[in-house]
Amino acid sequence: MSNLLFPNESALIVQPILIKKIGRTNASVLCQINYWLQNKKCTGVIYEGKKWIYATAEELAKQLQYGVSTIRRSLRFLKKYGLVRLEKLA
């Protein structure tokens, strides 16, 4: 059997308690957004003292291997519960 771990790929780490509280998909999306915000190599902008990233639902879907509609549902959930802010910056 070939090795399923690829050294050149980043691993998405999701805490089991987070999966239990908000579900696997929502937890995966939230952790990916958090990774982008914390990663110094990730491009983003500082606006009103906070770091913002630009990512479309299509980009998240491709990276996380979910459908675009699944990602959009997850983003609505995360926004509803105040876990992310989704805005178009001026």
Side-chain angles (χ1 to χ4, degrees):
M1 178 179 238
S2 65
N3 186 356
L4 295 178
L5 298 176
F6 301 97
N8 294 332
E9 291 287 325
S10 298
L12 178 63
I13 307 294
V14 182
Q15 295 172 328
I17 189 72
L18 191 57
I19 293 170
K20 186 176 181 179
K21 295 224 178 248
I22 66 173
R24 184 174 307 279
T25 304
N26 296 327
S28 296
V29 172
L30 184 61
C31 286
Q32 184 62 38
I33 292 169
N34 183 60
Y35 170 77
W36 284 338
L37 289 169
Q38 301 301 321
N39 187 341
K40 293 184 184 351
K41 295 179 189 175
C42 183
T43 59
V45 297
I46 303 297
Y47 182 77
E48 296 181 351
K50 302 235 185 254
K51 184 174 181 183
W52 293 76
I53 55 162
Y54 172 81
T56 64
E58 289 79 11
E59 289 169 326
L60 274 166
K62 183 178 179 182
Q63 191 152 36
L64 295 174
Q65 302 293 301
Y66 290 119
V68 174
S69 60
T70 300
I71 294 295
R72 287 190 178 123
R73 263 191 315 277
S74 181
L75 290 171
R76 283 192 301 271
F77 174 90
L78 295 171
K79 182 179 179 181
K80 177 180 177 180
Y81 290 99
L83 299 170
V84 298
R85 285 178 59 186
L86 305 172
E87 297 179 27
K88 290 186 180 180
L89 301 180

